[in-house]
Amino acid sequence: GHILMEEYANSYYMLEALNAEMRGDRPLMQKLVRQGQILSQIHQLAEPMKRPPRDLVPRFFERFEHETSRAAFEEGVKHFENNLVQRAVVKKKEEEEAAAAAAQERAKPLATPPASGYEAKPLVEAMYEMTKEERIAMAPQGLDPVEVFESLPEKMQTCFKTGDVELLKEVAEEMPEEEFDTHFQRTIDSGLWRPG
């Protein structure tokens, strides 16, 4: 019981409640918010009295004998739940935007900026201008990226030509999982795709 009365326990409950809401587990979120509010209010009760929170647990629950105290607690819980639901929506959007930005960054061609008269080109174009030995030397697992690219289904080739990550996600959903995983692993092994 003493761990629940530590200062960080309420923060843990609130973070877990936010995660539960983001996963779509509303009942768990509501349970965690209620428990977190109990801990928070016990701490608020103990602070001005300069007493350990564990000493005031019984006193906190005695307040629930009065309808007005119980109603005030429930109102506080509902208010916090509403705020947490709104925060979950915002946080999901932030995570989606960050994932999209990361995907765009990963989809950028590996070519370096133009220097000394060289022109920056998408990876798929650049690899056709290299010798087979150069391509294999640059491939993480020694697979020729041109051969891998040309063995991909047409829609998957389009994804790599355009850098369209959303289209690649569609292909992943449409194609049998094992087939997609095989093709995708080969793109990683040849250097067409950089994980991370």
Side-chain angles (χ1 to χ4, degrees):
H2 64 76
I3 290 176
L4 291 176
M5 292 295 109
E6 294 292 332
E7 288 182 31
Y8 61 82
N10 188 46
S11 297
Y12 171 79
Y13 271 103
M14 295 306 107
L15 286 173
E16 283 303 306
L18 179 61
N19 289 335
E21 178 64 23
M22 290 177 65
R23 288 190 310 267
D25 192 346
R26 179 72 49 95
L28 178 59
M29 179 276 288
Q30 290 171 327
K31 178 181 177 182
L32 291 168
V33 166
R34 178 174 300 283
Q35 292 170 342
Q37 286 297 301
I38 290 171
L39 292 179
S40 176
Q41 289 192 18
I42 290 172
H43 278 276
Q44 289 173 7
L45 190 60
E47 196 172 314
M49 296 181 175
K50 303 209 183 308
R51 296 194 47 202
R54 69 177 177 275
D55 292 351
L56 297 164
V57 171
R59 187 167 181 179
F60 172 79
F61 285 103
E62 287 170 5
R63 291 172 42 193
F64 277 74
E65 292 174 8
H66 306 293
E67 187 61 38
T68 54
S69 296
R70 193 175 320 119
F73 175 77
E74 290 300 328
E75 184 180 321
V77 168
K78 282 293 172 205
H79 177 73
F80 198 87
E81 278 179 17
N82 292 336
N83 288 343
L84 197 126
V85 167
Q86 291 171 357
R87 175 62 184 132
V89 168
V90 170
K91 188 168 181 181
K92 264 186 176 176
K93 186 177 179 191
E94 289 170 353
E95 287 180 356
E96 287 169 1
E97 288 170 356
Q104 279 184 330
E105 186 63 34
R106 285 192 305 269
K108 283 184 180 174
L110 293 174
T112 55
S116 311
Y118 290 107
E119 182 184 334
K121 294 183 180 178
L123 177 62
V124 173
E125 279 183 42
M127 70 184 184
Y128 278 99
E129 296 175 2
M130 300 167 71
T131 66
K132 184 172 183 167
E133 291 76 26
E134 290 173 325
R135 294 189 306 257
I136 290 174
M138 293 178 68
Q141 298 298 317
L143 291 180
D144 183 356
V146 169
E147 289 175 12
V148 170
F149 177 77
E150 291 175 348
S151 73
L152 297 175
E154 189 175 329
K155 200 168 182 182
M156 214 167 167
Q157 286 183 13
T158 303
C159 300
F160 283 92
K161 278 183 192 171
T162 62
D164 190 340
V165 177
E166 291 305 313
L167 182 60
L168 187 60
K169 289 177 185 176
E170 285 178 29
V171 171
E173 290 175 14
E174 295 168 1
M175 192 179 289
E177 185 176 352
E178 190 173 312
E179 181 183 351
F180 178 81
D181 289 347
T182 300
H183 285 302
F184 196 68
Q185 186 58 51
R186 292 183 78 235
T187 66
I188 293 170
D189 294 344
S190 67
L192 283 172
W193 183 266
R194 292 180 297 173

